[in-house]
């Protein structure tokens, strides 16, 4: 069964700290992986999209890596700010004959001023 | 560029009533998705359209949920009759032609079934 897991479920860090969010998936036959942030009561905002042939993507203070063989992706946030407080979700598009798009349950991040 | 539009933003209904949600994707986006997000969980894909054809509806409870995308642009998602467990946020997303492109999400419709 294809599953996506995000640990920890919640994280609090002081402002300025560099941090890593983890996303694990059970099947290495993936097409791509996308990281989102979700603010309370809002929709999802796309952060980074990594194709299966790529190892990492960067946007500003964010860097996402992908290791298909170990079934892991990490989202690195440099110099965290209170405005980064949100829930971070990863979503994996699997391919095993058909395409399936599965989200993790998210990591709720709080950056303390 | 305008984003994905959804309406209504909030809806409260009693169980066994029917409800419909509307989505207008980003102009030029051929692919449209409907998701259900229950509190504390990640979104679950209900149905995916490519233009006005259904690509994946394997997780859509077809006995009570239906969706259509006439003319390959706007889409509606309907629930009839609603159950208590349908209380969730219903998210619409769109993307360019093929699977390699990013998904862009609307603000969602929060449904409460009492």
């Amino acid at each position: 069964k294809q599953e996506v897991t995000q640990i920890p479920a919640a994280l609090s860090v002081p402002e300025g700290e560099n941090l890593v969010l983890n996303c694990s998936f059970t099947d290495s036959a993936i097409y791509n992986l996308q990281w989102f942030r979700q603010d309370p009561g809002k929709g999802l905002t796309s952060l980074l999209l990594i194709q299966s042939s790529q190892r990492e993507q960067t946007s500003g203070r964010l860097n996402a890596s992908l290791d298909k063989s170990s079934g892991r992706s990490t989202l690195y946030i440099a110099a965290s700010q209170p405005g980064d407080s949100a829930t971070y979700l990863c979503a994996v598009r699997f391919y095993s004959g058909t395409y399936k798009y599965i989200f993790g349950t998210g990591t709720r991040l709080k950056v303390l001023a | 560029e305008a984003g994905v539009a959804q309406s209504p933003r909030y809806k409260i209904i009693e169980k066994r009533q029917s409800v419909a949600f509307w989505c207008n994707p980003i102009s030029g986006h051929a692919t449209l998705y409907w998701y259900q997000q229950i509190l504390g969980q990640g979104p679950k894909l209900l149905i995916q359209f490519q233009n006005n054809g259904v690509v994946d509806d394997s997780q859509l409870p077809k006995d009570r949920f239906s969706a259509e995308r006439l003319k390959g642009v706007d889409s509606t998602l309907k629930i009839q009759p609603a159950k208590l467990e349908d209380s969730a946020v219903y998210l619409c997303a769109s993307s360019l032609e093929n699977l390699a492109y990013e998904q862009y999400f609307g603000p969602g419709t929060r449904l409460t079934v009492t």
Side-chain angles (χ1 to χ4, degrees), chain A residues 32 38 46 49 51 99 101, chain B residues 33 35 37 42 99-100 102-103:
Chain A
N32 57 35
Q38 186 171 32
S46 176
L49 171 68
Q51 304 297 342
Y99 292 100
Y101 198 63
Chain B
Y33 309 81
Y35 292 87
Q37 186 176 24
L99 300 169
E102 293 178 71
Q103 294 191 34

Side-chain angles (χ1 to χ4, degrees), chain A residues 63-81:
Chain A
N63 175 277
S65 68
L66 175 64
D67 184 343
K68 286 191 302 180
S69 61
S70 66
R72 290 185 56 194
S73 175
T74 60
L75 179 67
Y76 175 83
I77 303 177
S80 58
Q81 303 169 357

Side-chain angles (χ1 to χ4, degrees), chain B residues 4-47:
Chain B
V4 177
Q6 289 188 248
S7 68
R9 292 295 313 278
Y10 305 93
K11 190 76 178 178
I12 300 174
I13 62 172
E14 295 181 352
K15 60 184 179 184
R16 291 188 288 274
Q17 286 186 323
S18 62
V19 64
F21 312 127
W22 174 83
C23 173
N24 181 241
I26 293 172
S27 177
H29 281 196
T31 308
L32 185 146
Y33 309 81
W34 281 103
Y35 292 87
Q36 179 192 59
Q37 186 176 24
I38 293 171
L39 189 64
Q41 299 182 17
K44 182 181 83 171
L45 179 66
L46 293 176
I47 189 167

Side-chain angles (χ1 to χ4, degrees), chain B:
Chain B
E1 175 184 81
V4 177
Q6 289 188 248
S7 68
R9 292 295 313 278
Y10 305 93
K11 190 76 178 178
I12 300 174
I13 62 172
E14 295 181 352
K15 60 184 179 184
R16 291 188 288 274
Q17 286 186 323
S18 62
V19 64
F21 312 127
W22 174 83
C23 173
N24 181 241
I26 293 172
S27 177
H29 281 196
T31 308
L32 185 146
Y33 309 81
W34 281 103
Y35 292 87
Q36 179 192 59
Q37 186 176 24
I38 293 171
L39 189 64
Q41 299 182 17
K44 182 181 83 171
L45 179 66
L46 293 176
I47 189 167
Q48 176 184 339
F49 291 95
Q50 182 75 15
N51 296 307
N52 60 350
V54 175
V55 173
D56 181 1
D57 64 357
S58 58
Q59 298 192 91
L60 186 73
K62 297 181 187 63
D63 57 334
R64 298 184 301 105
F65 286 64
S66 64
E68 61 181 11
R69 191 184 184 197
L70 299 176
K71 301 180 182 177
V73 181
D74 293 7
S75 176
T76 56
L77 176 70
K78 296 179 182 176
I79 307 175
Q80 182 180 7
K83 293 185 175 181
L84 295 176
E85 58 261 36
D86 298 332
S87 294
V89 176
Y90 291 84
L91 296 163
C92 178
S94 69
S95 68
L96 283 169
E97 188 70 32
N98 67 45
L99 300 169
Y101 288 93
E102 293 178 71
Q103 294 191 34
Y104 295 88
F105 281 76
T109 296
R110 182 176 297 277
L111 173 68
T112 302
V113 182
T114 62

